[in-house]
């Protein structure tokens, strides 16, 4: 685990959690798994650069076929949903054009958490991982034309996407509900990229806007 030294998880904090997973990773041999991990890291770095984000400031928990990350407290959540996702989609298109395609599931949620001895503790990482691993997200990726499926929590949709900051387009998200181990979850799956043709907001220029979820 790589700690977020700029914004340490001391005590209970409220943060944006982002998780990503490579489709079909377990079916690859060891060499291709290693290559997939390298490409995933490059995709995430490229997407962060596209969005003007510093991944060195994230609290990251690597998962072999993916990553679970907690972003800093001053993160503009709408900016991440809009532009980080856009950057991932663009990097995946470049991989496909180069003949080395990769397909990813991406999940986001905001809530409370802290750092435990063996990883993150709290409902925020649990909900994010449930969204990421849901049949809904897997089906959206399998049935979609692109190489990325984005799924966010119902709360993130209501508190962030509906604001339409940074040209987020609520009509590109469809609601879904599912249950895991007896617990129910609500979320929204994005059809394509989350940005529409809405006018730019002042936050698009100043990198301001919403600083937390909720």
């Amino acid at each position: 685990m790589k700690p977020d030294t700029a914004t340490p998880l001391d005590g209970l904090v409220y943060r944006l959690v982002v998780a990503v997973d490579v489709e079909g990773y377990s079916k690859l041999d060891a060499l291709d798994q290693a290559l997939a991990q390298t490409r995933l890291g490059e995709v995430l770095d490229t997407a962060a650069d596209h969005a003007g984000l510093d991944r060195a400031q994230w609290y990251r928990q690597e998962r072999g076929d993916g990553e679970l990350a907690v972003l800093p407290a001053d993160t503009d959540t709408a900016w991440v949903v809009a532009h980080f996702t856009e950057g991932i989609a663009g990097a995946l298109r470049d991989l496909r054009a180069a003949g080395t395609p990769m397909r990813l599931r991406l999940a986001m949620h905001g809530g409370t958490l802290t750092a435990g001895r063996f990883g993150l503790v709290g409902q925020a990482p649990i909900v994010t991982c449930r969204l990421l691993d849901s049949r809904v997200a897997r089906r959206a990726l399998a049935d979609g034309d692109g190489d990325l499926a984005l799924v966010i929590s119902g709360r993130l949709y209501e508190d962030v996407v509906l604001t339409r900051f940074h040209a987020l387009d609520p009509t590109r998200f469809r609601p879904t509900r599912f249950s895991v181990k007896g617990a129910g979850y609500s979320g929204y799956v994005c059809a394509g990229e989350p940005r529409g043709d809405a006018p730019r907001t002042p936050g698009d220029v100043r990198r301001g806007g919403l600083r937390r979820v909720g």
Side-chain angles (χ1 to χ4, degrees):
M1 183 184 300
K2 299 178 181 179
D4 173 1
T5 54
T7 52
L9 301 180
D10 294 332
L12 190 67
V13 298
Y14 195 107
R15 300 286 178 80
L16 175 65
V17 182
V18 176
V20 63
D21 185 89
V22 178
E23 181 187 57
Y25 180 86
S26 62
K27 298 178 182 178
L28 302 175
D29 60 31
L31 176 59
D32 284 339
Q33 286 181 352
L35 291 173
Q37 288 188 8
T38 298
R39 289 178 187 133
L40 175 61
E42 292 171 350
V43 165
L44 296 178
D45 289 343
T46 297
D49 288 343
H50 170 85
L53 302 171
D54 183 2
R55 281 190 3 105
Q57 300 301 310
W58 298 9
Y59 188 104
R60 292 186 280 166
Q61 185 173 314
E62 295 165 351
R63 309 186 338 153
D65 60 347
E67 181 178 280
L68 182 65
V70 182
L71 275 63
D74 63 349
T75 295
D76 180 339
T77 305
W79 182 274
V80 175
V81 177
H83 296 284
F84 183 61
T85 302
E86 182 180 67
I88 290 179
L92 293 176
R93 283 194 295 269
D94 290 343
L95 281 180
R96 182 165 290 280
T100 55
M102 171 180 285
R103 308 191 82 210
L104 301 178
R105 299 191 310 280
L106 176 66
M108 299 184 188
H109 173 59
T112 54
L113 56 92
T114 190
R117 180 174 179 179
F118 296 108
L120 296 171
V121 176
Q123 283 300 304
I126 290 175
V127 171
T128 307
C129 289
R130 293 285 190 253
L131 292 168
L132 183 71
D133 296 333
S134 67
R135 291 182 180 178
V136 172
R138 293 176 185 275
R139 187 167 57 247
L141 182 57
D143 295 343
D145 296 330
D147 293 319
L148 177 66
L150 169 65
V151 56
I152 64 174
S153 65
R155 181 172 185 177
L156 198 64
Y157 176 83
E158 293 172 0
D159 290 352
V160 176
V161 173
L162 286 179
T163 68
R164 296 190 297 112
F165 265 65
H166 308 308
L168 287 172
D169 185 354
T171 67
R172 300 194 179 192
F173 292 78
R174 58 180 176 83
T176 183
R177 291 183 179 275
F178 61 95
S179 61
V180 178
K181 298 182 179 179
Y185 299 89
S186 63
Y188 283 78
V189 178
C190 179
E193 295 181 33
R195 286 180 11 109
D197 298 323
R200 289 166 60 90
T201 67
D204 283 318
V205 177
R206 299 194 306 266
R207 296 295 313 282
L210 301 180
R211 290 293 176 182
R212 57 169 282 178
V213 186

